[in-house]
Amino acid sequence: MKALIVTGGTGGLGSVVVERLAREYECVLLSRPEVDLMSESSVREGVARAVERFGAPYGLVHLAGGYAGGGIAETSLETWEGMLGLNLTSSFLVMREVLARMRRDAPGRIIAISSAATRTKSGSVAYTIAKSGLNALIELTAKELEKTPITANALLPATLDTAASRASMPNAKRVPLGDVAETIAYLLSDAGASVNGALLPMG
């Protein structure tokens, strides 16, 4: 089976995605406390261990991230730096390490979870800026990879259908976690090979 490196694979969305992808791929989870995704050395060591055990990865499914609300006046420097770290720096570090170990002469996939908040009004300034940076990172990475068979794409879901969202936003339209998992599976497949540099809204 092809090896996929997966971050955020133990959360509400992650567990559904991993269950779906495990039918076709060897899912190698990078998660705390073993790997700190905001530490360059920890990410490098975690990816190296995965490659040593499973060989060159077919791809990365980057689900890890975090959320904090607040407009610019309410956002502390700590919150700002935390959102950039969780949602952007972690993406850069893990994408860089995985790409360095992927074969450039064989198909490969990079998929990240961003947010529909980057395309709508939002008072969550630090979160939205960080996810917007992730979008740019995906687009730039796809551009760098356009002469290879490796693709890079991001999903931009609206409110995910989790227990927490049902409790806090009972009237909101929610995106089923299974739909996200199936979309990721499609992008990973041979049929999804022509999709590159896309920011795909969901919900």
Side-chain angles (χ1 to χ4, degrees), residues 8-107:
T10 59
L13 173 62
S15 59
V16 173
V17 170
V18 169
E19 181 179 10
R20 169 62 182 87
L21 298 183
R23 304 175 198 168
E24 302 168 46
Y25 305 95
E26 185 71 54
C27 294
V28 186
L29 274 57
L30 296 189
S31 56
R32 291 186 176 186
E34 290 81 10
V35 179
D36 178 358
L37 295 179
M38 289 187 286
S39 164
E40 183 176 34
S41 60
S42 183
V43 170
R44 181 178 294 123
E45 291 166 6
V47 172
R49 287 195 299 270
V51 171
E52 182 178 2
R53 182 175 178 185
F54 297 100
Y58 170 66
L60 165 69
V61 178
H62 182 52
L63 308 173
Y67 175 82
I72 189 167
E74 298 82 31
T75 299
S76 66
L77 179 60
E78 180 181 11
T79 297
W80 175 265
E81 292 179 339
M83 286 295 94
L84 290 177
L86 285 170
N87 295 298
L88 183 54
T89 301
S90 68
S91 305
F92 162 70
L93 290 174
V94 72
M95 284 173 59
R96 185 183 65 177
E97 292 304 320
V98 172
L99 279 169
R101 293 164 173 82
M102 292 174 70
R103 292 180 55 190
R104 297 304 175 101
D105 61 346

